[in-house]
């Protein structure tokens, strides 16, 4: 009888220990601000039984590929237009869980101090990914530098430019590469996460930047089979908590804006 009671007690202790350890979530993120925000909420999730492991990536492709392949549980780095473009191009079916923040997209230069100083034939670097390319070109259109055939085409490329009165030349590069050519081009259109990593302050350094009404919200993304899981939903709740809102406001000083 004592052995049975001892076994029962040990089994209960083991169950309690496993419950305390909780479920592990492996989430991909780009370094700034995504991974920093995830690091902030790790202790909160641990208290709720979720062991969060953050995998940092510097590109926009592998985080989606590995979630689709179930090598990762979720990712946090991308906008909805980019996700739609990726799903269409790669045949994946990744889904948004919740919107967290906006990173106003901007244009930077070390050669001119205003857009008006750009000379005819100046070189402008833009992302080569469909949605980010369109985002950059739409911003340039709003600044009056070019005109697109369709002003609302989120997937526009330089081929979709209707009017280029100053004969600007466009250099298309992977988003992560753009900060590296800042010295080599006249205007560099950079995603805010990469601008922050490069030591740029979007609020002060950008010659042109999206407003707070930008529709390009950064989402937590998962798969249809796990998006409603308890652990993913706890993560979603933590990412949109007052703690995260206060952290974003203090840490990024307008370069990142809460979307909740």
């Amino acid at each position: 009888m004592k052995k049975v009671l001892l076994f029962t007690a040990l089994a209960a202790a083991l169950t309690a220990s496993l419950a305390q350890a909780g479920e592990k979530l492996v989430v991909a993120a780009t370094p700034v601000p995504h991974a920093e925000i995830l690091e902030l909420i790790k202790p909160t999730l641990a208290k709720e039984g979720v062991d969060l492991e953050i995998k940092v990536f510097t590109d926009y492709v592998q985080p989606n590929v590995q979630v689709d392949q179930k090598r990762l549980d979720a990712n946090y780095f991308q906008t909805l237009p980019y996700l739609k473009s990726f799903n269409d191009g790669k045949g994946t079916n990744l889904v948004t869980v919740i919107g967290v923040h906006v990173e106003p997209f901007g244009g930077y230069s070390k050669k001119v101090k205003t857009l008006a100083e750009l000379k005819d034939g100046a070189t402008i670097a833009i992302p080569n990914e469909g949605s980010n390319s369109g985002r950059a070109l739409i911003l340039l259109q709003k600044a009056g530098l070019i005109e697109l055939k369709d002003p609302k085409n989120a997937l526009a490329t330089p081929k979709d430019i209707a009017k280029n009165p100053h004969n600007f030349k466009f250099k298309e590069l992977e988003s992560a590469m753009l900060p590296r050519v800042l010295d080599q081009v006249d205007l560099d259109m950079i995603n805010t996460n990469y601008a922050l990593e490069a030591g740029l302050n979007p609020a002060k350094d950008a010659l042109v930047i999206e407003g707070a009404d930008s529709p390009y919200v950064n989402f937590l993304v998962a798969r249809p089979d796990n998006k409603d899981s308890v652990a993913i939903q706890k993560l979603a709740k933590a990412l949109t908590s007052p703690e995260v809102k206060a952290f974003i406001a203090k840490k990024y000083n307008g370069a990142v804006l809460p979307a909740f």
Side-chain angles (χ1 to χ4, degrees):
M1 184 67 177
K2 289 182 179 180
K3 290 183 179 181
V4 173
L5 291 174
L6 179 61
F7 177 79
T8 302
L10 288 172
L14 179 60
T15 300
S17 177
L18 289 172
Q20 188 174 7
E23 183 175 347
K24 185 172 184 176
L25 273 185
V26 185
V27 180
T30 44
V32 181
H34 309 83
E36 293 178 342
I37 294 172
L38 289 172
E39 286 287 355
L40 172 76
I41 62 175
K42 277 184 74 171
T44 298
L45 290 170
K47 292 177 182 177
E48 296 182 7
V50 177
D51 177 15
L52 177 63
E53 180 180 346
I54 304 163
K55 294 283 188 180
V56 177
F57 290 80
T58 57
D59 74 289
Y60 287 165
V61 176
Q62 283 304 310
N64 276 343
V65 170
Q66 294 192 29
V67 171
D68 180 63
Q69 295 175 345
K70 299 187 178 182
R71 295 161 61 188
L72 300 171
D73 298 303
N75 64 51
Y76 169 40
F77 75 94
Q78 66 194 308
T79 64
L80 183 57
Y82 180 83
L83 176 62
K84 286 182 176 179
S85 176
F86 188 93
N87 278 337
D88 290 343
K90 302 292 186 181
T92 51
N93 188 32
L94 302 177
V95 294
T96 59
V97 179
I98 199 165
V100 182
H101 73 267
V102 172
E103 299 170 19
F105 193 94
Y108 304 82
S109 178
K110 286 193 174 181
K111 296 187 177 182
V112 298
K113 294 183 178 180
T114 67
L115 294 181
E117 295 177 26
L118 287 172
K119 297 179 181 180
D120 288 357
T123 299
I124 302 176
I126 65 172
N128 64 2
E129 305 95 359
S131 63
N132 285 314
S133 170
R135 187 176 181 182
L137 293 173
I138 288 172
L139 183 56
L140 291 173
Q141 176 179 256
K142 288 182 178 179
L145 298 183
I146 60 170
E147 287 186 27
L148 294 170
K149 297 173 184 176
D150 179 358
K152 296 181 180 180
N153 182 6
L155 300 178
T157 71
K159 294 180 181 179
D160 298 303
I161 296 174
K163 294 183 180 180
N164 182 9
H166 299 286
N167 295 312
F168 293 131
K169 299 174 184 176
F170 291 92
K171 188 171 186 176
E172 299 173 80
L173 298 169
E174 290 184 12
S175 293
M177 293 292 294
L178 289 168
R180 303 180 192 180
V181 301
L182 184 57
D183 292 328
Q184 304 168 30
V185 299
D186 299 291
L187 185 65
D188 203 352
M189 307 299 291
I190 308 176
N191 294 74
T192 291
N193 60 309
Y194 291 126
L196 291 171
E197 287 177 45
L200 296 168
N201 183 332
K204 295 180 180 179
D205 299 328
L207 303 188
V208 58
I209 194 166
E210 291 174 340
D213 59 345
S214 168
Y216 293 92
V217 175
N218 281 229
F219 281 86
L220 173 66
V221 168
R223 298 182 304 274
D225 68 287
N226 73 346
K227 71 180 183 68
D228 294 320
S229 70
V230 173
I232 291 289
Q233 289 303 311
K234 285 181 178 179
L235 173 59
K237 183 178 179 181
L239 279 172
T240 53
S241 66
E243 179 187 20
V244 168
K245 181 173 284 190
F247 175 79
I248 288 175
K250 183 177 180 180
K251 175 77 174 178
Y252 304 111
N253 194 30
V256 179
L257 304 170
F260 56 92

